[in-house]
Amino acid sequence: GIVQKGDWLYFADSEVSALRRVNIASRKVETLIGSGLFDFGDQEGDLDGALLQHPLGVAVYGEDILVADTYNHKIKRVTESTHKIKTIENGDLELYEPGGLSVYRDMLYIADTNHDRIVVYDLNTGSWHALKLKGLQVEAMRQMDMADVPEQEIALRISGDLILRLSADFPDGVYLNKEAPINYTFMGQNASIEGLATSPTLPVEFKVPAADLLAGNTYQTTLTFAYCTDGNMGLCVPVTLAWKLRIKSDPQAPNVITLMDKVKISM
């Protein structure tokens, strides 16, 4: 991590568990915390005796410096005016090797790396919540060129919810990468659904509420995953399959629809 405050650049010298700063004009370097490769730990108080353990993120908040004390699973606040460092009060927040930090007004955004989340922490109140990212797959779908996707009509009993199953037809020697995420989307005039498969298998099944479906309307749905080949097991390729559906109302039709498309190899 590296951040500017006034004429100084503050940076985490991670491998030696140090926090340093360098003056942009004079190029003078000062060490605020840290004394050597094997001097690391979890010690607060006066900067002269303070210890960190592999810090990564650095951010500025007012006149203070915030540091992600990564291997101690803490965020610490350095107040240069008092020459002190202290762990921020975080209530029931448990971090697991936090990395990057960013401040916006009084909110600190923390990359809680090994919890696979971004935490939004209020530096005034100590309250926090996990940042929910929405619309990423749907927005990407809006940008997709669907002109070459053929429209197909599906008969549906729209008085009930639609159970949609999406799958892929793999050529010989090609298989699903079960370590990559599997995403799906469904969108139309009054529908915007996206999700992540709960298990690394196909087909992916999800529900579209009846209230989101109108007879005569056209909807788009996608399935995004990664595939690998026997010939190059070290390289896996992301792919998106897309369908364009026109809904036809039929009170006798089933409410479970399975869609499958062939995976076209691009390597």
Side-chain angles (χ1 to χ4, degrees), residues 124-175:
N124 276 333
T125 67
S127 62
W128 66 276
H129 65 273
L131 180 66
K132 301 296 184 183
L133 300 177
K134 298 181 179 179
L136 300 183
Q137 289 292 324
V138 168
E139 187 58 35
M141 186 177 173
R142 289 192 181 101
Q143 304 299 325
M144 286 181 60
D145 183 4
M146 301 288 287
D148 295 331
V149 178
E151 183 176 292
Q152 55 182 299
E153 186 178 74
I154 61 170
L156 186 66
R157 188 173 72 252
I158 60 174
S159 59
D161 297 337
L162 166 63
I163 304 300
L164 199 55
R165 293 173 178 162
L166 305 180
S167 193
D169 181 12
F170 294 94
D172 291 341
V174 179
Y175 55 92

Short mmCIF file of all heavy atoms in Angstrom, two decimals, residues 124-175:
data_model
loop_
_atom_site.label_atom_id
_atom_site.label_comp_id
_atom_site.label_asym_id
_atom_site.label_seq_id
_atom_site.Cartn_x
_atom_site.Cartn_y
_atom_site.Cartn_z
N ASN A 124 -16.50 6.88 12.51
CA ASN A 124 -17.08 7.66 13.59
C ASN A 124 -17.77 6.79 14.62
O ASN A 124 -17.60 6.98 15.83
CB ASN A 124 -18.09 8.68 13.04
CG ASN A 124 -17.41 9.96 12.57
OD1 ASN A 124 -16.36 10.33 13.06
ND2 ASN A 124 -18.03 10.62 11.61
N THR A 125 -18.56 5.84 14.16
CA THR A 125 -19.41 5.06 15.06
C THR A 125 -18.88 3.66 15.36
O THR A 125 -19.30 3.03 16.33
CB THR A 125 -20.82 4.92 14.47
OG1 THR A 125 -20.77 4.11 13.28
CG2 THR A 125 -21.40 6.29 14.12
N GLY A 126 -17.99 3.15 14.52
CA GLY A 126 -17.51 1.79 14.69
C GLY A 126 -18.44 0.74 14.12
O GLY A 126 -18.16 -0.46 14.20
N SER A 127 -19.55 1.15 13.53
CA SER A 127 -20.46 0.19 12.90
C SER A 127 -19.90 -0.23 11.55
O SER A 127 -19.07 0.47 10.95
CB SER A 127 -21.86 0.81 12.74
OG SER A 127 -21.80 1.94 11.88
N TRP A 128 -20.37 -1.36 11.06
CA TRP A 128 -19.85 -1.87 9.80
C TRP A 128 -20.86 -2.76 9.11
O TRP A 128 -21.82 -3.23 9.72
CB TRP A 128 -18.55 -2.67 10.04
CG TRP A 128 -18.77 -3.93 10.83
CD1 TRP A 128 -18.83 -4.05 12.18
CD2 TRP A 128 -18.99 -5.24 10.29
NE1 TRP A 128 -19.07 -5.35 12.54
CE2 TRP A 128 -19.17 -6.10 11.41
CE3 TRP A 128 -19.06 -5.77 9.01
CZ2 TRP A 128 -19.41 -7.47 11.25
CZ3 TRP A 128 -19.28 -7.12 8.84
CH2 TRP A 128 -19.45 -7.96 9.96
N HIS A 129 -20.66 -2.96 7.83
CA HIS A 129 -21.46 -3.91 7.06
C HIS A 129 -20.64 -4.38 5.87
O HIS A 129 -19.68 -3.72 5.46
CB HIS A 129 -22.78 -3.30 6.60
CG HIS A 129 -22.62 -2.16 5.63
ND1 HIS A 129 -22.45 -0.84 6.05
CD2 HIS A 129 -22.59 -2.12 4.27
CE1 HIS A 129 -22.33 -0.06 5.01
NE2 HIS A 129 -22.41 -0.80 3.91
N ALA A 130 -21.01 -5.51 5.34
CA ALA A 130 -20.35 -6.02 4.13
C ALA A 130 -20.97 -5.34 2.92
O ALA A 130 -22.18 -5.20 2.82
CB ALA A 130 -20.51 -7.54 4.03
N LEU A 131 -20.13 -4.90 2.02
CA LEU A 131 -20.59 -4.24 0.80
C LEU A 131 -21.21 -5.26 -0.14
O LEU A 131 -20.60 -6.28 -0.46
CB LEU A 131 -19.42 -3.54 0.11
CG LEU A 131 -19.75 -2.80 -1.20
CD1 LEU A 131 -20.68 -1.62 -0.91
CD2 LEU A 131 -18.47 -2.32 -1.87
N LYS A 132 -22.44 -5.00 -0.54
CA LYS A 132 -23.14 -5.88 -1.47
C LYS A 132 -22.98 -5.33 -2.89
O LYS A 132 -23.38 -4.21 -3.18
CB LYS A 132 -24.62 -5.99 -1.12
CG LYS A 132 -24.89 -6.52 0.29
CD LYS A 132 -24.40 -7.96 0.44
CE LYS A 132 -24.75 -8.52 1.81
NZ LYS A 132 -24.23 -9.89 2.01
N LEU A 133 -22.39 -6.13 -3.75
CA LEU A 133 -22.21 -5.73 -5.14
C LEU A 133 -23.36 -6.30 -5.96
O LEU A 133 -23.58 -7.50 -5.99
CB LEU A 133 -20.88 -6.25 -5.67
CG LEU A 133 -19.64 -5.75 -4.93
CD1 LEU A 133 -18.38 -6.39 -5.49
CD2 LEU A 133 -19.53 -4.24 -5.02
N LYS A 134 -24.09 -5.41 -6.62
CA LYS A 134 -25.24 -5.84 -7.41
C LYS A 134 -25.13 -5.30 -8.83
O LYS A 134 -24.50 -4.28 -9.07
CB LYS A 134 -26.54 -5.33 -6.77
CG LYS A 134 -26.81 -5.88 -5.38
CD LYS A 134 -28.12 -5.35 -4.84
CE LYS A 134 -28.40 -5.91 -3.45
NZ LYS A 134 -29.67 -5.39 -2.90
N GLY A 135 -25.76 -6.02 -9.75
CA GLY A 135 -25.87 -5.54 -11.11
C GLY A 135 -24.67 -5.80 -12.00
O GLY A 135 -24.64 -5.37 -13.15
N LEU A 136 -23.65 -6.50 -11.49
CA LEU A 136 -22.45 -6.68 -12.29
C LEU A 136 -22.71 -7.57 -13.49
O LEU A 136 -22.39 -7.24 -14.63
CB LEU A 136 -21.33 -7.26 -11.43
CG LEU A 136 -20.92 -6.40 -10.23
CD1 LEU A 136 -19.75 -7.05 -9.50
CD2 LEU A 136 -20.55 -5.00 -10.67
N GLN A 137 -23.30 -8.75 -13.27
CA GLN A 137 -23.58 -9.64 -14.38
C GLN A 137 -24.68 -9.07 -15.27
O GLN A 137 -24.63 -9.18 -16.49
CB GLN A 137 -23.99 -11.02 -13.85
CG GLN A 137 -22.85 -11.81 -13.25
CD GLN A 137 -21.82 -12.22 -14.28
OE1 GLN A 137 -22.16 -12.55 -15.40
NE2 GLN A 137 -20.57 -12.21 -13.90
N VAL A 138 -25.70 -8.48 -14.65
CA VAL A 138 -26.78 -7.91 -15.45
C VAL A 138 -26.27 -6.79 -16.33
O VAL A 138 -26.63 -6.67 -17.50
CB VAL A 138 -27.91 -7.41 -14.52
CG1 VAL A 138 -28.91 -6.57 -15.29
CG2 VAL A 138 -28.63 -8.59 -13.89
N GLU A 139 -25.41 -5.93 -15.77
CA GLU A 139 -24.88 -4.83 -16.56
C GLU A 139 -24.03 -5.35 -17.71
O GLU A 139 -24.08 -4.84 -18.83
CB GLU A 139 -24.06 -3.88 -15.68
CG GLU A 139 -23.62 -2.61 -16.38
CD GLU A 139 -24.79 -1.81 -16.92
OE1 GLU A 139 -25.86 -1.79 -16.28
OE2 GLU A 139 -24.63 -1.20 -18.01
N ALA A 140 -23.22 -6.38 -17.44
CA ALA A 140 -22.43 -6.98 -18.51
C ALA A 140 -23.33 -7.56 -19.60
O ALA A 140 -23.03 -7.49 -20.79
CB ALA A 140 -21.52 -8.06 -17.95
N MET A 141 -24.45 -8.12 -19.18
CA MET A 141 -25.38 -8.70 -20.13
C MET A 141 -26.00 -7.62 -21.01
O MET A 141 -26.23 -7.82 -22.21
CB MET A 141 -26.47 -9.47 -19.38
CG MET A 141 -27.43 -10.23 -20.26
SD MET A 141 -28.59 -11.15 -19.25
CE MET A 141 -29.70 -11.75 -20.51
N ARG A 142 -26.26 -6.45 -20.42
CA ARG A 142 -26.82 -5.35 -21.21
C ARG A 142 -25.86 -4.92 -22.31
O ARG A 142 -26.28 -4.41 -23.35
CB ARG A 142 -27.13 -4.16 -20.30
CG ARG A 142 -28.31 -4.38 -19.37
CD ARG A 142 -28.73 -3.08 -18.73
NE ARG A 142 -29.85 -3.27 -17.82
CZ ARG A 142 -29.74 -3.35 -16.51
NH1 ARG A 142 -28.55 -3.24 -15.95
NH2 ARG A 142 -30.80 -3.53 -15.74
N GLN A 143 -24.57 -5.11 -22.06
CA GLN A 143 -23.57 -4.70 -23.05
C GLN A 143 -23.31 -5.77 -24.10
O GLN A 143 -22.60 -5.53 -25.07
CB GLN A 143 -22.25 -4.36 -22.34
CG GLN A 143 -22.39 -3.30 -21.25
CD GLN A 143 -22.87 -1.98 -21.78
OE1 GLN A 143 -22.53 -1.59 -22.88
NE2 GLN A 143 -23.68 -1.29 -20.98
N MET A 144 -23.84 -6.96 -23.89
CA MET A 144 -23.60 -8.05 -24.82
C MET A 144 -24.30 -7.80 -26.15
O MET A 144 -25.39 -7.21 -26.20
CB MET A 144 -24.09 -9.39 -24.25
CG MET A 144 -23.24 -9.96 -23.16
SD MET A 144 -23.90 -11.53 -22.58
CE MET A 144 -23.87 -12.50 -24.09
N ASP A 145 -23.71 -8.25 -27.22
CA ASP A 145 -24.34 -8.19 -28.53
C ASP A 145 -25.22 -9.43 -28.68
O ASP A 145 -24.73 -10.54 -28.90
CB ASP A 145 -23.27 -8.15 -29.62
CG ASP A 145 -23.87 -8.01 -31.01
OD1 ASP A 145 -25.11 -7.86 -31.10
OD2 ASP A 145 -23.11 -8.04 -31.99
N MET A 146 -26.53 -9.23 -28.56
CA MET A 146 -27.47 -10.34 -28.63
C MET A 146 -28.06 -10.49 -30.02
O MET A 146 -28.98 -11.27 -30.23
CB MET A 146 -28.60 -10.12 -27.61
CG MET A 146 -28.15 -10.01 -26.17
SD MET A 146 -27.58 -11.58 -25.47
CE MET A 146 -29.14 -12.45 -25.26
N ALA A 147 -27.54 -9.72 -31.00
CA ALA A 147 -28.13 -9.72 -32.34
C ALA A 147 -28.08 -11.11 -32.97
O ALA A 147 -28.98 -11.48 -33.74
CB ALA A 147 -27.42 -8.70 -33.22
N ASP A 148 -27.02 -11.86 -32.70
CA ASP A 148 -26.86 -13.17 -33.33
C ASP A 148 -27.48 -14.30 -32.52
O ASP A 148 -27.37 -15.47 -32.90
CB ASP A 148 -25.37 -13.47 -33.56
CG ASP A 148 -24.75 -12.51 -34.56
OD1 ASP A 148 -25.48 -12.02 -35.44
OD2 ASP A 148 -23.54 -12.25 -34.45
N VAL A 149 -28.10 -13.97 -31.39
CA VAL A 149 -28.74 -15.00 -30.57
C VAL A 149 -30.16 -15.23 -31.09
O VAL A 149 -30.97 -14.30 -31.09
CB VAL A 149 -28.78 -14.58 -29.09
CG1 VAL A 149 -29.49 -15.64 -28.25
CG2 VAL A 149 -27.38 -14.35 -28.58
N PRO A 150 -30.47 -16.42 -31.58
CA PRO A 150 -31.82 -16.65 -32.13
C PRO A 150 -32.88 -16.60 -31.04
O PRO A 150 -32.67 -17.06 -29.92
CB PRO A 150 -31.71 -18.05 -32.74
CG PRO A 150 -30.60 -18.71 -31.98
CD PRO A 150 -29.63 -17.62 -31.64
N GLU A 151 -34.01 -16.03 -31.37
CA GLU A 151 -35.12 -15.98 -30.44
C GLU A 151 -35.92 -17.28 -30.52
O GLU A 151 -36.20 -17.78 -31.62
CB GLU A 151 -36.03 -14.79 -30.76
CG GLU A 151 -37.19 -14.62 -29.80
CD GLU A 151 -38.01 -13.37 -30.10
OE1 GLU A 151 -37.48 -12.26 -29.91
OE2 GLU A 151 -39.16 -13.51 -30.55
N GLN A 152 -36.26 -17.81 -29.40
CA GLN A 152 -37.07 -19.03 -29.36
C GLN A 152 -38.29 -18.81 -28.49
O GLN A 152 -38.25 -18.12 -27.48
CB GLN A 152 -36.27 -20.23 -28.86
CG GLN A 152 -35.60 -20.05 -27.52
CD GLN A 152 -34.79 -21.25 -27.11
OE1 GLN A 152 -35.32 -22.36 -26.95
NE2 GLN A 152 -33.48 -21.06 -26.94
N GLU A 153 -39.39 -19.37 -28.93
CA GLU A 153 -40.64 -19.23 -28.20
C GLU A 153 -40.78 -20.39 -27.23
O GLU A 153 -40.54 -21.55 -27.58
CB GLU A 153 -41.82 -19.22 -29.16
CG GLU A 153 -43.16 -18.94 -28.50
CD GLU A 153 -44.29 -18.88 -29.51
OE1 GLU A 153 -44.69 -19.95 -30.01
OE2 GLU A 153 -44.76 -17.76 -29.79
N ILE A 154 -41.16 -20.06 -26.01
CA ILE A 154 -41.40 -21.10 -25.02
C ILE A 154 -42.82 -20.95 -24.47
O ILE A 154 -43.26 -19.84 -24.15
CB ILE A 154 -40.37 -21.08 -23.87
CG1 ILE A 154 -40.40 -19.77 -23.10
CG2 ILE A 154 -38.97 -21.37 -24.40
CD1 ILE A 154 -39.57 -19.80 -21.83
N ALA A 155 -43.52 -22.06 -24.42
CA ALA A 155 -44.86 -22.07 -23.84
C ALA A 155 -44.74 -22.21 -22.34
O ALA A 155 -43.96 -23.04 -21.84
CB ALA A 155 -45.68 -23.21 -24.43
N LEU A 156 -45.50 -21.41 -21.62
CA LEU A 156 -45.33 -21.36 -20.17
C LEU A 156 -46.67 -21.07 -19.50
O LEU A 156 -47.47 -20.26 -19.99
CB LEU A 156 -44.33 -20.26 -19.82
CG LEU A 156 -43.90 -20.13 -18.36
CD1 LEU A 156 -43.12 -21.36 -17.93
CD2 LEU A 156 -43.06 -18.87 -18.18
N ARG A 157 -46.90 -21.71 -18.38
CA ARG A 157 -48.07 -21.40 -17.55
C ARG A 157 -47.68 -20.25 -16.63
O ARG A 157 -47.12 -20.44 -15.56
CB ARG A 157 -48.47 -22.63 -16.74
CG ARG A 157 -49.79 -22.47 -16.01
CD ARG A 157 -50.25 -23.77 -15.35
NE ARG A 157 -49.43 -24.13 -14.20
CZ ARG A 157 -48.54 -25.13 -14.16
NH1 ARG A 157 -48.34 -25.86 -15.24
NH2 ARG A 157 -47.86 -25.38 -13.06
N ILE A 158 -47.95 -19.03 -17.09
CA ILE A 158 -47.42 -17.85 -16.41
C ILE A 158 -48.16 -17.51 -15.14
O ILE A 158 -47.84 -16.52 -14.47
CB ILE A 158 -47.41 -16.63 -17.35
CG1 ILE A 158 -48.83 -16.30 -17.84
CG2 ILE A 158 -46.47 -16.86 -18.52
CD1 ILE A 158 -48.90 -15.03 -18.65
N SER A 159 -49.14 -18.32 -14.78
CA SER A 159 -49.80 -18.10 -13.49
C SER A 159 -48.92 -18.55 -12.32
O SER A 159 -49.19 -18.23 -11.16
CB SER A 159 -51.13 -18.86 -13.44
OG SER A 159 -50.92 -20.24 -13.63
N GLY A 160 -47.86 -19.30 -12.62
CA GLY A 160 -46.95 -19.77 -11.58
C GLY A 160 -45.52 -19.35 -11.85
O GLY A 160 -45.19 -18.83 -12.93
N ASP A 161 -44.64 -19.55 -10.86
CA ASP A 161 -43.23 -19.22 -11.03
C ASP A 161 -42.59 -20.13 -12.07
O ASP A 161 -42.99 -21.29 -12.24
CB ASP A 161 -42.49 -19.38 -9.70
CG ASP A 161 -43.01 -18.43 -8.63
OD1 ASP A 161 -43.59 -17.40 -9.00
OD2 ASP A 161 -42.83 -18.73 -7.45
N LEU A 162 -41.60 -19.59 -12.76
CA LEU A 162 -40.84 -20.36 -13.75
C LEU A 162 -39.59 -20.94 -13.07
O LEU A 162 -38.83 -20.22 -12.42
CB LEU A 162 -40.43 -19.47 -14.91
CG LEU A 162 -39.36 -20.02 -15.87
CD1 LEU A 162 -39.86 -21.27 -16.58
CD2 LEU A 162 -38.93 -18.95 -16.87
N ILE A 163 -39.38 -22.24 -13.23
CA ILE A 163 -38.14 -22.87 -12.81
C ILE A 163 -37.29 -23.04 -14.06
O ILE A 163 -37.66 -23.77 -14.98
CB ILE A 163 -38.38 -24.23 -12.14
CG1 ILE A 163 -39.32 -24.07 -10.95
CG2 ILE A 163 -37.05 -24.84 -11.69
CD1 ILE A 163 -38.82 -23.14 -9.87
N LEU A 164 -36.18 -22.33 -14.12
CA LEU A 164 -35.32 -22.33 -15.30
C LEU A 164 -34.04 -23.11 -15.01
O LEU A 164 -33.38 -22.87 -14.00
CB LEU A 164 -34.97 -20.90 -15.70
CG LEU A 164 -34.46 -20.65 -17.12
CD1 LEU A 164 -35.44 -21.18 -18.16
CD2 LEU A 164 -34.22 -19.15 -17.32
N ARG A 165 -33.71 -24.04 -15.90
CA ARG A 165 -32.49 -24.84 -15.79
C ARG A 165 -31.60 -24.55 -16.99
O ARG A 165 -32.01 -24.75 -18.14
CB ARG A 165 -32.82 -26.33 -15.71
CG ARG A 165 -33.56 -26.73 -14.45
CD ARG A 165 -34.01 -28.17 -14.50
NE ARG A 165 -34.68 -28.59 -13.27
CZ ARG A 165 -35.46 -29.67 -13.17
NH1 ARG A 165 -35.64 -30.45 -14.23
NH2 ARG A 165 -36.05 -29.96 -12.03
N LEU A 166 -30.39 -24.09 -16.73
CA LEU A 166 -29.44 -23.74 -17.78
C LEU A 166 -28.27 -24.71 -17.74
O LEU A 166 -27.73 -25.01 -16.68
CB LEU A 166 -28.92 -22.31 -17.59
CG LEU A 166 -29.98 -21.21 -17.49
CD1 LEU A 166 -29.31 -19.85 -17.32
CD2 LEU A 166 -30.89 -21.20 -18.70
N SER A 167 -27.87 -25.19 -18.93
CA SER A 167 -26.78 -26.15 -18.98
C SER A 167 -25.97 -25.97 -20.26
O SER A 167 -26.27 -25.11 -21.09
CB SER A 167 -27.33 -27.59 -18.89
OG SER A 167 -26.27 -28.50 -18.63
N ALA A 168 -24.93 -26.79 -20.40
CA ALA A 168 -24.01 -26.68 -21.53
C ALA A 168 -23.71 -28.07 -22.07
O ALA A 168 -23.62 -29.05 -21.32
CB ALA A 168 -22.72 -25.99 -21.11
N ASP A 169 -23.52 -28.13 -23.38
CA ASP A 169 -23.14 -29.35 -24.08
C ASP A 169 -21.66 -29.24 -24.43
O ASP A 169 -21.27 -28.41 -25.26
CB ASP A 169 -24.00 -29.52 -25.33
CG ASP A 169 -23.68 -30.80 -26.09
OD1 ASP A 169 -22.97 -31.66 -25.53
OD2 ASP A 169 -24.12 -30.93 -27.25
N PHE A 170 -20.82 -30.06 -23.80
CA PHE A 170 -19.38 -29.97 -23.98
C PHE A 170 -18.91 -30.96 -25.05
O PHE A 170 -19.32 -32.13 -25.05
CB PHE A 170 -18.64 -30.28 -22.67
CG PHE A 170 -18.87 -29.27 -21.59
CD1 PHE A 170 -19.87 -29.45 -20.64
CD2 PHE A 170 -18.10 -28.12 -21.53
CE1 PHE A 170 -20.08 -28.52 -19.63
CE2 PHE A 170 -18.30 -27.18 -20.52
CZ PHE A 170 -19.30 -27.38 -19.58
N PRO A 171 -18.02 -30.53 -25.96
CA PRO A 171 -17.40 -31.47 -26.91
C PRO A 171 -16.51 -32.46 -26.18
O PRO A 171 -16.16 -32.27 -25.00
CB PRO A 171 -16.58 -30.54 -27.83
CG PRO A 171 -17.06 -29.16 -27.56
CD PRO A 171 -17.57 -29.15 -26.16
N ASP A 172 -16.10 -33.50 -26.86
CA ASP A 172 -15.18 -34.47 -26.28
C ASP A 172 -13.88 -33.78 -25.88
O ASP A 172 -13.34 -32.95 -26.63
CB ASP A 172 -14.89 -35.59 -27.28
CG ASP A 172 -16.10 -36.47 -27.53
OD1 ASP A 172 -17.01 -36.45 -26.67
OD2 ASP A 172 -16.15 -37.14 -28.58
N GLY A 173 -13.35 -34.14 -24.74
CA GLY A 173 -12.09 -33.58 -24.27
C GLY A 173 -12.23 -32.22 -23.61
O GLY A 173 -11.23 -31.60 -23.25
N VAL A 174 -13.44 -31.75 -23.45
CA VAL A 174 -13.70 -30.46 -22.81
C VAL A 174 -14.59 -30.70 -21.60
O VAL A 174 -15.51 -31.51 -21.64
CB VAL A 174 -14.40 -29.50 -23.79
CG1 VAL A 174 -14.70 -28.16 -23.12
CG2 VAL A 174 -13.54 -29.28 -25.03
N TYR A 175 -14.30 -29.99 -20.51
CA TYR A 175 -15.05 -30.22 -19.30
C TYR A 175 -15.17 -28.93 -18.49
O TYR A 175 -14.42 -27.97 -18.68
CB TYR A 175 -14.41 -31.32 -18.44
CG TYR A 175 -12.95 -31.07 -18.11
CD1 TYR A 175 -12.59 -30.40 -16.95
CD2 TYR A 175 -11.94 -31.48 -18.99
CE1 TYR A 175 -11.26 -30.17 -16.66
CE2 TYR A 175 -10.61 -31.24 -18.70
CZ TYR A 175 -10.27 -30.58 -17.53
OH TYR A 175 -8.96 -30.34 -17.25
#
